[in-house]
Amino acid sequence: MENNLILKNISKHISLSDAETSYFLSLLKEKKIQKKELIVKHQQTCKHINFVVTGILRAFYLDASGKESTIMFAVSDWWITDMYCFINEKPAMLNIEALEESLVLQLSKDHLDELYSKVPKFERFFRIMMQNAYIREQLRTIENLSLPAEERYYNFLNKYPLAAERVTQKQIASYLGITPEFLSIIKTNRQKTNYS
């Protein structure tokens, strides 16, 4: 199992004893995901929070007309789930798919609750993680309301440098809330600016 990356991620916020580390690792399930495979499907129960070891995942919302809106990308060293579904044990609002062959470590809701009880410092870890996610989404909402598409695209490149070259233009456009054609114009203008 790929443990070093997840332990390094956790050590940013809490320190674990050897016994706590062993217990935590015993709760994780390794899952390999094929490209285009969905690990969370809209309206189904989302039973895990996923830590990305390798690959890239995308959470997206599909509206009644079939239009996709990308909510987030998750690359190596990121966590991803449908948080509403996972925490409240409700049907998923999102789909989460692998954009390339990926490896994740999964922690179930039952095991997370167990972890909070047996190693309370994990409450601090996940509180910090969720606070950071909330702040990130709030800033993104404000950006979407206040910044032109060009600036949102540049911010995307800064936020997701590892993903920018590995996802399709359509997926980036759906994250930015613009059409792929408009994104193409932004990229063309950016290249012209870089060469002038």
Side-chain angles (χ1 to χ4, degrees), residues 171-193:
Q171 290 161 348
I172 294 172
S174 80
Y175 177 83
L176 297 173
I178 60 176
T179 65
E181 294 77 16
F182 188 53
L183 177 57
S184 184
I185 292 168
I186 291 171
K187 290 172 83 172
T188 300
N189 290 341
R190 183 171 193 249
Q191 288 169 343
K192 286 179 185 173
T193 304

Side-chain angles (χ1 to χ4, degrees), residues 18-27 111 114-115 118-119:
D18 289 346
E20 290 167 337
T21 298
S22 295
Y23 174 66
F24 169 65
L25 294 176
S26 75
L27 301 179
H111 283 152
E114 223 178 272
L115 195 57
K118 295 188 176 175
V119 188

Side-chain angles (χ1 to χ4, degrees), residues 12 35-36:
K12 294 173 191 172
K35 183 176 180 176
K36 296 191 177 181

Side-chain angles (χ1 to χ4, degrees), residues 37-44 57-63 68-72 80-82 92-98:
E37 181 182 346
L38 293 174
I39 60 165
V40 174
K41 293 179 185 174
H42 180 254
Q43 290 299 310
Q44 292 187 355
L57 281 73
R58 173 178 78 115
F60 65 96
Y61 175 76
L62 192 63
D63 72 14
E68 291 181 3
S69 295
T70 298
I71 306 303
M72 74 174 288
I80 189 169
T81 192
D82 180 324
M93 295 190 294
L94 303 176
N95 294 286
I96 300 178
E97 73 170 334

Side-chain angles (χ1 to χ4, degrees), residues 45-121:
T45 305
C46 170
K47 297 181 179 177
H48 300 94
I49 186 166
N50 304 280
F51 178 80
V52 182
V53 179
T54 60
I56 181 167
L57 281 73
R58 173 178 78 115
F60 65 96
Y61 175 76
L62 192 63
D63 72 14
S65 69
K67 180 185 172 196
E68 291 181 3
S69 295
T70 298
I71 306 303
M72 74 174 288
F73 296 98
V75 294
S76 179
D77 199 33
W78 282 54
W79 294 84
I80 189 169
T81 192
D82 180 324
M83 196 58 74
Y84 168 81
C85 171
F86 178 69
I87 296 297
N88 298 304
E89 301 181 76
K90 302 276 188 186
M93 295 190 294
L94 303 176
N95 294 286
I96 300 178
E97 73 170 334
L99 299 180
E100 58 189 40
E101 191 173 298
S102 303
L103 176 68
V104 297
L105 299 177
Q106 296 185 313
L107 182 65
S108 72
K109 176 71 165 59
D110 289 343
H111 283 152
L112 179 62
D113 291 339
E114 223 178 272
L115 195 57
Y116 287 161
S117 173
K118 295 188 176 175
V119 188
K121 62 181 84 171

Side-chain angles (χ1 to χ4, degrees), residues 142-158:
I142 291 168
E143 279 184 8
N144 286 347
L145 294 171
S146 62
L147 295 180
E150 292 89 345
E151 281 189 57
R152 296 200 315 268
Y153 175 60
Y154 300 144
N155 289 345
F156 169 81
L157 294 177
N158 287 329

